Amino acid sequence: RGLLTRFHSTNVGAFERATAVRMPSATGAGPVDIVTTAGLTFRNFHPVAEANMPNQSGKPARVTFPYGFFSWSAGTLAVAGIFVDIELIFPGPIAVPAQYWKVINGVWTDVCLQLSCSVNGNALTIRFRDGGTGDLDGLANAVIVDPGGLGVGHSVDRCELEALVAVAVEHE
């Protein structure tokens, strides 16, 4: 991946304004690289321990977070409200379908059920929209805000979700 040549540092937060950052995982399982090609620059990036995420009682059952969580913001989009691809490169392969969890309005959410997520070996690419689902500041303000992490294990997949929705609609 030629994108990794743009790292300004391997030190967390040492260079604000990098288009690619490397952070140690909160679990000690190795570094995770986060890359963008959309003209964004990363700011305020750091690993987050699972225990420091909100709403611990609402955490999904049977899902583990092998690298913990990562908090970052990326800004200076040319146009507010546009779609942006963010690639997270993990030390090991990613199970398919991918799970990327965050807490949105107090609810643990696998955003890969709502956003475009694609896996290529150990790389997960997520398409965020400035101000849309997954951008936790909720504003189309040329900044994407994300505390989230890769989940492994059982979650509701798209087929199960569609079946649950169909049952709910049927009983309305």
Side-chain angles (χ1 to χ4, degrees):
R1 298 197 188 294
L3 298 174
L4 297 184
T5 60
R6 294 182 303 179
F7 280 106
H8 292 240
S9 174
T10 57
N11 296 323
V12 176
F15 287 87
E16 305 288 312
R17 308 267 182 229
T19 57
V21 296
R22 173 169 285 159
M23 287 189 270
S25 66
T27 62
V32 175
D33 303 327
I34 305 176
V35 181
T36 182
T37 58
L40 291 172
T41 53
F42 289 101
R43 303 179 283 200
N44 306 318
F45 43 90
H46 59 276
V48 177
E50 183 176 336
N52 292 335
M53 292 296 288
N55 190 12
Q56 290 290 306
S57 64
K59 200 167 22 178
R62 300 180 304 187
V63 176
T64 60
F65 303 96
Y67 305 102
F69 294 83
F70 302 92
S71 180
W72 52 267
S73 65
T76 66
L77 289 168
V79 178
I82 66 171
F83 287 94
V84 177
D85 289 341
I86 303 291
E87 182 179 44
L88 296 100
I89 305 166
F90 295 92
I94 300 168
V96 176
Q99 298 179 45
Y100 189 77
W101 289 86
K102 47 183 27 190
V103 179
I104 301 174
N105 297 322
V107 178
W108 283 78
T109 305
D110 176 1
V111 295
C112 285
L113 295 174
Q114 302 173 27
L115 303 176
S116 171
C117 294
S118 60
V119 174
N120 183 4
N122 64 332
L124 171 63
T125 301
I126 304 172
R127 175 159 284 182
F128 290 96
R129 182 171 191 172
D130 179 31
T133 300
D135 179 5
L136 287 194
D137 70 6
L139 304 172
N141 59 354
V143 177
I144 305 284
V145 177
D146 180 70
L150 180 70
V152 176
H154 180 75
S155 78
V156 175
D157 67 21
R158 283 184 170 85
C159 292
E160 289 176 292
L161 182 62
E162 289 171 4
L164 290 170
V165 169
V167 168
V169 169
E170 188 176 290
H171 288 98
E172 285 187 340

